[in-house]
Coordinates of all heavy atoms in Angstrom, one line a residue:
Q257 N 60.9 68.0 178.6 CA 61.2 66.6 178.1 C 61.6 66.6 176.7 O 60.9 67.1 175.8 CB 59.9 65.8 178.3 CG 60.1 64.3 178.0 CD 58.8 63.5 178.2 OE1 57.9 64.0 178.8 NE2 58.8 62.3 177.6
E258 N 62.7 65.9 176.4 CA 63.2 65.8 175.0 C 62.6 64.7 174.3 O 62.4 63.6 174.9 CB 64.8 65.6 175.0 CG 65.5 66.9 175.2 CD 67.0 66.7 174.9 OE1 67.3 65.9 174.0 OE2 67.8 67.3 175.6
H259 N 62.2 64.9 173.1 CA 61.6 63.9 172.3 C 62.7 63.3 171.3 O 63.5 64.1 170.7 CB 60.5 64.4 171.4 CG 59.3 64.8 172.2 ND1 58.5 63.9 172.9 CD2 58.7 66.0 172.5 CE1 57.5 64.5 173.5 NE2 57.7 65.8 173.3
E260 N 62.8 62.0 171.3 CA 63.7 61.3 170.4 C 63.3 61.6 168.9 O 62.2 61.3 168.6 CB 63.8 59.8 170.7 CG 64.5 59.5 171.9 CD 66.0 59.3 171.8 OE1 66.4 58.9 170.7 OE2 66.7 59.6 172.8
K261 N 64.3 62.1 168.1 CA 64.0 62.2 166.7 C 64.3 60.9 166.0 O 65.3 60.3 166.3 CB 64.8 63.3 166.1 CG 64.4 64.7 166.6 CD 65.3 65.8 165.9 CE 65.0 67.2 166.3 NZ 65.8 68.2 165.7
P262 N 63.4 60.5 165.0 CA 63.8 59.3 164.2 C 65.0 59.6 163.4 O 65.3 60.7 163.0 CB 62.5 59.1 163.4 CG 61.9 60.5 163.3 CD 62.2 61.2 164.5
P263 N 65.8 58.5 163.1 CA 67.0 58.6 162.3 C 66.6 59.2 160.9 O 65.6 58.8 160.3 CB 67.6 57.2 162.2 CG 66.9 56.4 163.3 CD 65.6 57.1 163.5
T264 N 67.4 60.1 160.4 CA 67.2 60.6 159.1 C 68.4 60.3 158.2 O 69.5 60.2 158.6 CB 66.9 62.1 159.1 OG1 68.0 62.7 159.7 CG2 65.6 62.5 159.8
L265 N 68.1 60.2 156.9 CA 69.2 60.0 155.9 C 69.7 61.3 155.4 O 69.0 62.1 154.9 CB 68.6 59.1 154.7 CG 69.5 58.1 154.2 CD1 69.8 57.0 155.2 CD2 69.0 57.5 152.9
T266 N 71.0 61.5 155.6 CA 71.7 62.7 155.1 C 72.9 62.3 154.3 O 73.8 61.7 154.8 CB 72.1 63.6 156.3 OG1 70.9 63.8 157.1 CG2 72.5 65.0 155.8
N267 N 73.0 62.8 153.1 CA 74.1 62.5 152.2 C 74.4 61.0 152.2 O 75.6 60.6 152.2 CB 75.4 63.2 152.7 CG 75.2 64.7 152.6 OD1 74.5 65.2 151.7 ND2 75.9 65.5 153.4
G268 N 73.4 60.2 152.2 CA 73.6 58.7 152.1 C 74.0 58.1 153.4 O 74.3 56.9 153.4
E269 N 74.1 58.9 154.5 CA 74.5 58.3 155.7 C 73.3 58.4 156.7 O 72.6 59.4 156.7 CB 75.7 59.0 156.3 CG 77.0 58.8 155.5 CD 78.1 59.6 156.1 OE1 77.9 60.5 156.8 OE2 79.3 59.1 155.8
L270 N 73.2 57.4 157.5 CA 72.1 57.4 158.5 C 72.5 58.3 159.7 O 73.5 58.0 160.4 CB 71.8 56.0 158.9 CG 70.5 55.8 159.7 CD1 69.3 56.1 158.9 CD2 70.4 54.3 160.2
R271 N 71.7 59.3 160.0 CA 72.0 60.1 161.2 C 71.2 59.6 162.4 O 70.0 59.4 162.3 CB 71.6 61.6 160.9 CG 72.6 62.3 160.1 CD 72.4 63.8 160.1 NE 73.4 64.6 159.5 CZ 74.5 65.0 160.1 NH1 74.6 64.9 161.4 NH2 75.4 65.7 159.4
I272 N 71.9 59.5 163.5 CA 71.2 59.1 164.7 C 70.5 60.3 165.4 O 69.4 60.2 165.8 CB 72.2 58.5 165.7 CG1 72.8 57.2 165.1 CG2 71.5 58.1 167.0 CD1 74.0 56.7 165.8
N273 N 71.2 61.4 165.5 CA 70.6 62.6 166.1 C 71.2 63.8 165.5 O 72.0 63.8 164.6 CB 70.9 62.5 167.7 CG 72.4 62.5 168.0 OD1 73.2 63.0 167.2 ND2 72.7 61.9 169.1
G274 N 70.8 65.0 166.0 CA 71.2 66.2 165.4 C 72.6 66.6 165.8 O 73.1 67.7 165.5
K275 N 73.3 65.8 166.6 CA 74.6 66.1 167.1 C 75.7 65.7 166.2 O 76.9 65.7 166.6 CB 74.8 65.6 168.5 CG 73.8 66.2 169.5 CD 74.0 65.5 170.9 CE 72.9 66.1 171.8 NZ 72.8 65.3 173.0
G276 N 75.4 65.2 165.0 CA 76.4 64.8 164.1 C 76.9 63.4 164.1 O 77.8 63.0 163.4
K277 N 76.4 62.6 165.1 CA 76.9 61.2 165.1 C 76.2 60.5 164.0 O 75.0 60.6 163.8 CB 76.5 60.6 166.5 CG 77.3 61.2 167.6 CD 77.0 60.5 168.9 CE 77.8 61.1 170.0 NZ 77.6 60.4 171.3
K278 N 77.0 59.7 163.3 CA 76.5 59.0 162.1 C 76.8 57.5 162.2 O 77.8 57.1 162.8 CB 77.1 59.5 160.8 CG 76.9 60.9 160.6 CD 77.7 61.4 159.4 CE 77.7 62.9 159.3 NZ 78.6 63.3 158.3
L279 N 75.9 56.7 161.7 CA 76.1 55.3 161.5 C 76.8 55.1 160.1 O 76.2 55.5 159.1 CB 74.8 54.5 161.5 CG 74.2 54.2 162.8 CD1 72.9 53.5 162.6 CD2 75.1 53.3 163.7
R280 N 78.0 54.7 160.1 CA 78.7 54.5 158.8 C 78.4 53.2 158.1 O 78.0 52.3 158.8 CB 80.2 54.6 159.0 CG 80.7 55.9 159.4 CD 82.2 55.9 159.5 NE 82.7 57.3 159.6 CZ 84.0 57.5 159.6 NH1 84.9 56.6 159.4 NH2 84.4 58.8 159.7
K281 N 78.5 53.2 156.8 CA 78.4 52.0 156.1 C 79.6 51.1 156.5 O 80.7 51.6 156.8 CB 78.5 52.2 154.6 CG 77.3 52.8 154.0 CD 77.4 52.8 152.5 CE 76.2 53.4 151.8 NZ 76.3 53.4 150.4
P282 N 79.4 49.8 156.5 CA 80.6 48.9 156.9 C 81.7 49.1 155.8 O 81.5 49.3 154.7 CB 80.0 47.5 156.9 CG 78.7 47.6 156.1 CD 78.2 49.0 156.2
R283 N 82.9 48.9 156.3 CA 84.1 49.0 155.5 C 84.1 47.9 154.4 O 83.7 46.8 154.6 CB 85.3 48.8 156.3 CG 86.6 49.0 155.6 CD 87.8 48.9 156.6 NE 89.0 48.9 155.8 CZ 90.2 48.8 156.4 NH1 90.3 48.9 157.7 NH2 91.3 48.8 155.6
T284 N 84.4 48.3 153.2 CA 84.4 47.4 152.0 C 85.6 46.5 152.2 O 86.7 46.9 152.4 CB 84.6 48.2 150.7 OG1 83.5 49.1 150.6 CG2 84.5 47.2 149.5
I285 N 85.3 45.2 152.0 CA 86.3 44.2 152.0 C 86.5 43.7 150.6 O 85.6 43.1 150.0 CB 86.0 42.9 152.9 CG1 85.6 43.4 154.3 CG2 87.1 41.9 152.9 CD1 86.7 44.1 155.1
Y286 N 87.7 44.0 150.0 CA 88.0 43.6 148.6 C 88.5 42.2 148.6 O 89.3 41.8 149.4 CB 89.0 44.6 148.0 CG 88.5 46.0 148.0 CD1 88.8 46.9 149.0 CD2 87.7 46.5 147.0 CE1 88.4 48.2 149.0 CE2 87.2 47.8 146.9 CZ 87.6 48.7 147.9 OH 87.2 50.0 147.9
S287 N 88.1 41.5 147.6 CA 88.6 40.1 147.4 C 90.1 40.2 146.8 O 90.4 41.3 146.3 CB 87.8 39.3 146.4 OG 87.9 39.8 145.1
S288 N 90.8 39.2 146.9 CA 92.2 39.2 146.4 C 92.2 39.4 144.9 O 93.1 40.1 144.4 CB 93.0 37.9 146.8 OG 92.3 36.8 146.4
L289 N 91.2 38.9 144.2 CA 91.1 39.1 142.8 C 90.9 40.6 142.5 O 91.4 41.1 141.5 CB 90.0 38.2 142.2 CG 90.2 37.6 140.9 CD1 91.2 36.5 141.0 CD2 88.9 37.1 140.3
Q290 N 90.0 41.2 143.2 CA 89.7 42.6 143.0 C 90.9 43.5 143.3 O 91.2 44.4 142.5 CB 88.5 43.1 143.9 CG 87.2 42.5 143.5 CD 86.1 42.8 144.6 OE1 86.4 42.8 145.8 NE2 84.9 42.9 144.1
L291 N 91.6 43.2 144.4 CA 92.8 43.9 144.8 C 93.9 43.8 143.7 O 94.6 44.8 143.4 CB 93.3 43.5 146.1 CG 92.6 43.9 147.3 CD1 93.1 43.3 148.6 CD2 92.6 45.4 147.5
Q292 N 94.0 42.6 143.2 CA 95.0 42.3 142.1 C 94.7 43.2 140.9 O 95.6 43.8 140.3 CB 95.0 40.8 141.8 CG 96.1 40.4 140.9 CD 96.0 38.9 140.6 OE1 95.2 38.2 141.1 NE2 96.9 38.4 139.7
A293 N 93.4 43.2 140.5 CA 93.0 44.0 139.3 C 93.2 45.5 139.6 O 93.7 46.2 138.7 CB 91.6 43.7 138.9
L294 N 92.8 45.9 140.8 CA 93.0 47.4 141.1 C 94.4 47.8 141.1 O 94.8 48.8 140.6 CB 92.3 47.7 142.5 CG 90.8 47.6 142.5 CD1 90.2 47.5 143.9 CD2 90.2 48.8 141.8
N295 N 95.3 47.0 141.8 CA 96.7 47.3 141.8 C 97.3 47.3 140.4 O 98.2 48.2 140.1 CB 97.4 46.3 142.7 CG 97.3 46.7 144.2 OD1 97.5 47.8 144.6 ND2 96.8 45.8 145.0
Q296 N 96.9 46.3 139.6 CA 97.5 46.3 138.2 C 97.1 47.5 137.4 O 97.9 48.1 136.7 CB 96.9 45.0 137.6 CG 97.6 44.6 136.3 CD 97.1 43.2 135.8 OE1 96.2 42.6 136.4 NE2 97.6 42.8 134.7
R297 N 95.8 47.9 137.6 CA 95.4 49.1 136.9 C 96.1 50.4 137.4 O 96.4 51.3 136.7 CB 93.9 49.2 137.0 CG 93.2 50.3 136.1 CD 93.5 49.9 134.7 NE 92.9 50.9 133.8 CZ 91.7 50.7 133.2 NH1 91.0 49.6 133.5 NH2 91.2 51.6 132.4
F298 N 96.3 50.4 138.7 CA 97.0 51.6 139.3 C 98.4 51.7 138.8 O 98.9 52.8 138.6 CB 97.0 51.4 140.9 CG 97.6 52.6 141.6 CD1 96.8 53.7 141.8 CD2 98.9 52.7 142.0 CE1 97.3 54.9 142.4 CE2 99.4 53.8 142.7 CZ 98.6 54.9 142.9
Q299 N 99.1 50.6 138.5 CA 100.4 50.6 138.0 C 100.4 51.2 136.6 O 101.4 51.8 136.1 CB 101.0 49.2 138.0 CG 101.4 48.7 139.4 CD 102.0 47.3 139.4 OE1 102.0 46.6 138.4 NE2 102.4 46.9 140.6
Q300 N 99.3 51.0 135.8 CA 99.2 51.5 134.5 C 98.9 53.0 134.5 O 99.5 53.8 133.8 CB 98.1 50.8 133.7 CG 98.3 49.4 133.4 CD 97.1 48.7 132.9 OE1 96.1 49.3 132.6 NE2 97.2 47.4 132.7
T301 N 98.0 53.4 135.4 CA 97.6 54.8 135.5 C 97.1 55.1 136.9 O 96.4 54.2 137.4 CB 96.6 55.3 134.5 OG1 96.3 56.6 134.7 CG2 95.3 54.4 134.5
Q302 N 97.5 56.2 137.5 CA 97.0 56.5 138.8 C 95.7 57.2 138.8 O 95.1 57.4 139.9 CB 98.1 57.4 139.5 CG 99.3 56.7 139.9 CD 100.3 57.5 140.7 OE1 99.9 58.6 141.2 NE2 101.5 57.1 140.7
Y303 N 95.2 57.7 137.7 CA 94.0 58.4 137.6 C 93.1 57.7 136.5 O 93.6 57.4 135.4 CB 94.2 59.8 137.2 CG 94.9 60.6 138.3 CD1 96.2 60.7 138.4 CD2 94.1 61.3 139.2 CE1 96.9 61.4 139.4 CE2 94.7 62.0 140.3 CZ 96.1 62.0 140.3 OH 96.7 62.7 141.3
L304 N 91.8 57.5 136.8 CA 90.9 56.9 135.9 C 89.9 57.9 135.4 O 89.3 58.7 136.2 CB 90.1 55.8 136.6 CG 90.9 54.5 137.0 CD1 89.9 53.5 137.7 CD2 91.5 53.8 135.8
A305 N 89.6 57.9 134.1 CA 88.5 58.7 133.6 C 87.2 58.1 133.9 O 87.2 56.9 134.3 CB 88.7 58.8 132.0
L306 N 86.1 58.8 133.9 CA 84.8 58.3 134.3 C 84.4 57.0 133.6 O 84.0 56.0 134.2 CB 83.7 59.3 134.0 CG 83.5 60.3 135.2 CD1 82.6 61.4 134.8 CD2 82.8 59.5 136.3
P307 N 84.6 56.9 132.2 CA 84.2 55.6 131.6 C 85.1 54.5 132.0 O 84.6 53.4 132.1 CB 84.4 55.9 130.1 CG 84.5 57.4 130.0 CD 85.0 57.9 131.3
E308 N 86.4 54.8 132.2 CA 87.3 53.7 132.7 C 86.9 53.2 134.1 O 86.9 52.0 134.4 CB 88.7 54.3 132.8 CG 89.3 54.6 131.4 CD 90.7 55.3 131.5 OE1 90.9 56.1 132.5 OE2 91.5 55.1 130.7
R309 N 86.5 54.2 134.9 CA 86.1 53.8 136.3 C 84.9 53.0 136.2 O 84.7 52.0 137.0 CB 85.9 55.1 137.1 CG 85.6 54.8 138.6 CD 85.6 56.0 139.4 NE 84.4 56.8 139.2 CZ 84.2 58.1 139.4 NH1 85.2 58.8 139.8 NH2 83.0 58.6 139.3
A310 N 83.9 53.4 135.4 CA 82.7 52.6 135.3 C 82.9 51.2 134.8 O 82.3 50.2 135.3 CB 81.7 53.4 134.4
E311 N 83.8 51.1 133.8 CA 84.1 49.8 133.2 C 84.8 48.9 134.2 O 84.4 47.7 134.4 CB 85.0 50.0 132.0 CG 85.3 48.7 131.3 CD 86.3 48.9 130.1 OE1 86.5 50.1 129.7 OE2 86.8 47.9 129.6
L312 N 85.8 49.4 134.9 CA 86.5 48.7 135.9 C 85.6 48.2 137.1 O 85.6 47.1 137.5 CB 87.7 49.5 136.5 CG 88.6 48.8 137.5 CD1 89.2 47.5 136.8 CD2 89.7 49.7 138.0
A313 N 84.7 49.1 137.5 CA 83.8 48.8 138.6 C 82.8 47.7 138.2 O 82.6 46.7 138.9 CB 83.0 50.0 139.0
A314 N 82.3 47.7 136.9 CA 81.4 46.7 136.4 C 82.2 45.3 136.3 O 81.6 44.3 136.7 CB 80.9 47.1 135.1
Q315 N 83.4 45.4 135.9 CA 84.2 44.1 135.7 C 84.4 43.5 137.1 O 84.4 42.2 137.2 CB 85.6 44.4 135.1 CG 85.6 44.7 133.6 CD 86.9 45.1 133.1 OE1 87.9 45.2 133.9 NE2 87.0 45.4 131.8
L316 N 84.6 44.3 138.1 CA 85.0 43.7 139.4 C 83.8 43.6 140.4 O 84.0 43.1 141.5 CB 86.1 44.7 140.1 CG 87.4 44.8 139.3 CD1 88.3 45.8 140.0 CD2 88.1 43.5 139.1
G317 N 82.6 44.0 139.9 CA 81.5 43.9 140.8 C 81.5 44.8 141.9 O 81.0 44.5 143.0
L318 N 82.1 46.0 141.7 CA 82.1 47.1 142.7 C 81.3 48.3 142.2 O 81.0 48.3 141.1 CB 83.6 47.5 143.0 CG 84.6 46.4 143.5 CD1 86.0 46.9 143.4 CD2 84.2 46.1 144.9
T319 N 81.1 49.2 143.1 CA 80.4 50.4 142.7 C 81.5 51.4 142.2 O 82.7 51.3 142.6 CB 79.7 51.1 143.9 OG1 80.6 51.5 144.9 CG2 78.6 50.2 144.5
Q320 N 81.1 52.4 141.4 CA 82.1 53.4 141.0 C 82.7 54.1 142.1 O 83.9 54.5 142.1 CB 81.4 54.3 140.0 CG 81.1 53.7 138.7 CD 80.6 54.7 137.6 OE1 81.2 55.8 137.5 NE2 79.6 54.4 136.9
T321 N 81.9 54.4 143.2 CA 82.4 55.1 144.3 C 83.5 54.3 145.1 O 84.5 54.8 145.5 CB 81.2 55.4 145.3 OG1 80.2 56.1 144.6 CG2 81.7 56.1 146.5
Q322 N 83.3 53.0 145.1 CA 84.3 52.1 145.8 C 85.6 52.2 145.0 O 86.7 52.2 145.6 CB 83.8 50.7 145.9 CG 82.7 50.5 146.9 CD 82.1 49.1 146.8 OE1 81.8 48.6 145.8 NE2 81.8 48.5 148.0
V323 N 85.5 52.1 143.7 CA 86.7 52.2 142.9 C 87.4 53.6 143.0 O 88.6 53.7 143.2 CB 86.4 51.9 141.4 CG1 87.6 52.2 140.5 CG2 85.9 50.5 141.2
K324 N 86.6 54.6 143.0 CA 87.1 56.0 143.1 C 87.8 56.1 144.4 O 89.0 56.6 144.5 CB 86.0 57.0 143.0 CG 86.4 58.4 143.2 CD 85.2 59.4 143.2 CE 84.6 59.4 144.5 NZ 83.6 60.5 144.7
I325 N 87.2 55.7 145.5 CA 87.8 55.9 146.8 C 89.1 55.0 147.0 O 90.1 55.4 147.6 CB 86.8 55.6 148.0 CG1 85.8 56.7 148.0 CG2 87.5 55.4 149.3 CD1 84.6 56.5 148.9
W326 N 89.0 53.8 146.4 CA 90.2 52.9 146.5 C 91.4 53.7 145.8 O 92.5 53.7 146.3 CB 90.0 51.6 145.8 CG 91.1 50.6 146.0 CD1 91.3 49.7 147.0 CD2 92.3 50.5 145.1 NE1 92.5 49.1 146.8 CE2 93.1 49.5 145.7 CE3 92.7 51.1 144.0 CZ2 94.3 49.2 145.2 CZ3 93.9 50.8 143.4 CH2 94.7 49.8 144.0
F327 N 91.2 54.2 144.6 CA 92.2 54.9 143.9 C 92.7 56.2 144.7 O 93.9 56.5 144.7 CB 91.8 55.3 142.5 CG 92.1 54.3 141.4 CD1 91.4 53.2 141.3 CD2 93.2 54.5 140.6 CE1 91.8 52.2 140.3 CE2 93.6 53.6 139.7 CZ 92.9 52.4 139.5
Q328 N 91.8 56.9 145.3 CA 92.2 58.1 146.1 C 93.1 57.6 147.3 O 94.1 58.3 147.5 CB 90.9 58.8 146.7 CG 90.1 59.5 145.7 CD 88.8 60.1 146.3 OE1 88.4 59.6 147.3 NE2 88.3 61.0 145.6
N329 N 92.7 56.6 147.9 CA 93.5 56.1 149.1 C 94.8 55.6 148.6 O 95.8 55.8 149.3 CB 92.7 55.0 149.8 CG 91.5 55.5 150.5 OD1 91.4 56.7 150.8 ND2 90.6 54.6 150.9
K330 N 94.8 54.9 147.5 CA 96.1 54.3 147.0 C 97.0 55.4 146.6 O 98.2 55.3 146.8 CB 95.8 53.4 145.8 CG 97.0 52.7 145.2 CD 97.4 51.6 146.1 CE 98.6 50.8 145.4 NZ 99.0 49.7 146.3
R331 N 96.5 56.5 145.9 CA 97.4 57.6 145.5 C 98.0 58.3 146.8 O 99.1 58.6 146.8 CB 96.6 58.7 144.7 CG 96.4 58.3 143.3 CD 95.9 59.5 142.5 NE 94.6 60.0 143.0 CZ 93.4 59.6 142.5 NH1 93.3 58.7 141.6 NH2 92.3 60.1 143.0
S332 N 97.1 58.4 147.8 CA 97.6 59.0 149.0 C 98.7 58.2 149.7 O 99.7 58.8 150.1 CB 96.4 59.2 150.0 OG 96.8 59.7 151.2
K333 N 98.5 56.9 149.8 CA 99.5 56.0 150.3 C 100.8 56.0 149.5 O 101.9 56.0 150.1 CB 98.9 54.6 150.4 CG 99.7 53.6 151.3 CD 99.1 52.2 151.2 CE 98.0 52.1 152.2 NZ 97.4 50.7 152.3
Y334 N 100.6 56.0 148.2 CA 101.8 56.0 147.3 C 102.6 57.3 147.5 O 103.8 57.3 147.6 CB 101.3 55.9 145.8 CG 102.3 55.9 144.8 CD1 103.1 54.8 144.5 CD2 102.6 57.1 144.0 CE1 104.1 54.8 143.6 CE2 103.6 57.1 143.1 CZ 104.3 56.0 142.8 OH 105.3 56.0 141.9
K335 N 101.9 58.5 147.5 CA 102.6 59.7 147.7 C 103.3 59.8 149.1 O 104.5 60.3 149.2 CB 101.6 60.9 147.7 CG 101.2 61.2 146.2 CD 100.1 62.3 146.2 CE 99.6 62.5 144.8 NZ 98.5 63.4 144.7
K336 N 102.7 59.2 150.1 CA 103.3 59.2 151.4 C 104.6 58.3 151.4 O 105.6 58.7 152.0 CB 102.3 58.5 152.4 CG 102.7 58.6 153.9 CD 101.6 58.1 154.7 CE 102.0 58.1 156.2 NZ 100.9 57.5 157.0
I337 N 104.5 57.2 150.7 CA 105.7 56.3 150.6 C 106.8 57.0 149.8 O 108.0 57.0 150.2 CB 105.3 54.9 150.0 CG1 104.5 54.1 150.9 CG2 106.6 54.2 149.6 CD1 103.8 52.9 150.3
M338 N 106.4 57.7 148.7 CA 107.4 58.3 147.9 C 108.1 59.5 148.7 O 109.3 59.8 148.5 CB 106.8 58.9 146.6 CG 106.3 57.8 145.7 SD 107.5 56.5 145.4 CE 108.5 57.3 144.1
K339 N 107.3 60.1 149.5 CA 107.8 61.3 150.3 C 108.9 60.8 151.3 O 109.8 61.5 151.6 CB 106.6 61.9 151.0 CG 106.9 63.3 151.6 CD 105.7 63.9 152.2 CE 106.0 65.3 152.8 NZ 104.8 65.8 153.5
Q340 N 108.6 59.6 151.9 CA 109.6 59.0 152.8 C 110.9 58.6 152.2 O 111.9 58.4 152.8 CB 108.9 57.9 153.6 CG 107.8 58.3 154.5 CD 107.1 57.1 155.1 OE1 107.3 56.0 154.7 NE2 106.2 57.4 156.1
G341 N 110.8 58.4 150.8 CA 112.0 58.0 150.1 C 112.1 56.5 150.0 O 113.1 55.9 149.8

């Protein structure tokens, strides 16, 4: 008889079982004001230094991780568009 293991926290993600299935955090929904500021900053520079990221995150009420991932995704999308011509 298999015993159900309680969910454990691994790398900030809730694990349901040992088979690697995870409950993800819900997708971040950015406000139009946040998107406007992020896009404006991206046009100035595609890469943020740590202090810049921290400042921008604080200004917009986001976490540094959310800002970092937004910039990563934006760079990826930008490169894909540029590659297509």
